[in-house]
Amino acid sequence: MAVDPRGVDLARLMAEDPGGPVVMLNLLRFAPDGRASYEEYSRRTAAFLKRYGGELLYAGDGGTPLVAEDGQAWDAVLLVRYPDRAAFCSMVADPEYQEITGLRSRALTEAVLQPTSPW
């Protein structure tokens, strides 16, 4: 399962850009003992969010779904706001940020990273 965006994913993100801010929905499923690695990634990501104008809006543990298909329970949910899609792409392409992405990759067995736009 893919857990990190690839170049083709980022190109599509920009091609579909409606302009304005983007809130990235993160649905996370941790590997065994992956939470500690993800927490370290989160701590180190804070500086990059600040650098690129991002803001963590919400982070919480997932509960038992009320309405979902089997397999759609998630360990954690995050909402992260960026001023625009270009800021997100710039952050994930930053060579210093790339040095910490292994923490995220090792922490997760599955993830959804979905851009959302305000109504």
Side-chain angles (χ1 to χ4, degrees):
M1 293 276 168
V3 297
D4 296 309
R6 301 162 299 164
V8 66
D9 302 319
L10 297 174
R12 187 176 63 250
L13 177 75
M14 292 306 299
E16 297 173 356
D17 188 359
V22 61
V23 174
M24 299 298 276
L25 168 66
N26 293 253
L27 301 174
L28 309 175
R29 188 162 293 124
F30 294 116
D33 301 320
R35 185 178 288 271
S37 180
Y38 195 86
E39 288 172 355
E40 176 65 18
Y41 163 78
S42 293
R43 282 190 293 279
R44 294 176 67 182
T45 299
F48 295 100
L49 288 176
K50 184 175 181 181
R51 182 182 302 173
Y52 291 97
E55 175 187 9
L56 177 63
L57 300 176
Y58 176 81
D61 291 324
T64 302
L66 298 178
V67 178
E69 298 296 321
D70 287 343
Q72 292 302 304
W74 297 95
D75 295 328
V77 175
L78 285 82
L79 295 171
V80 185
R81 183 187 181 281
Y82 297 89
D84 52 40
R85 291 175 182 219
F88 172 80
C89 290
S90 294
M91 185 186 84
V92 298
D94 185 313
E96 290 180 62
Y97 173 82
Q98 287 293 314
E99 292 176 11
I100 67 168
T101 59
L103 291 166
R104 183 180 188 279
S105 300
R106 286 188 299 276
L108 302 174
T109 59
E110 191 173 2
V112 171
L113 185 59
Q114 182 171 346
T116 70
S117 302
W119 286 358

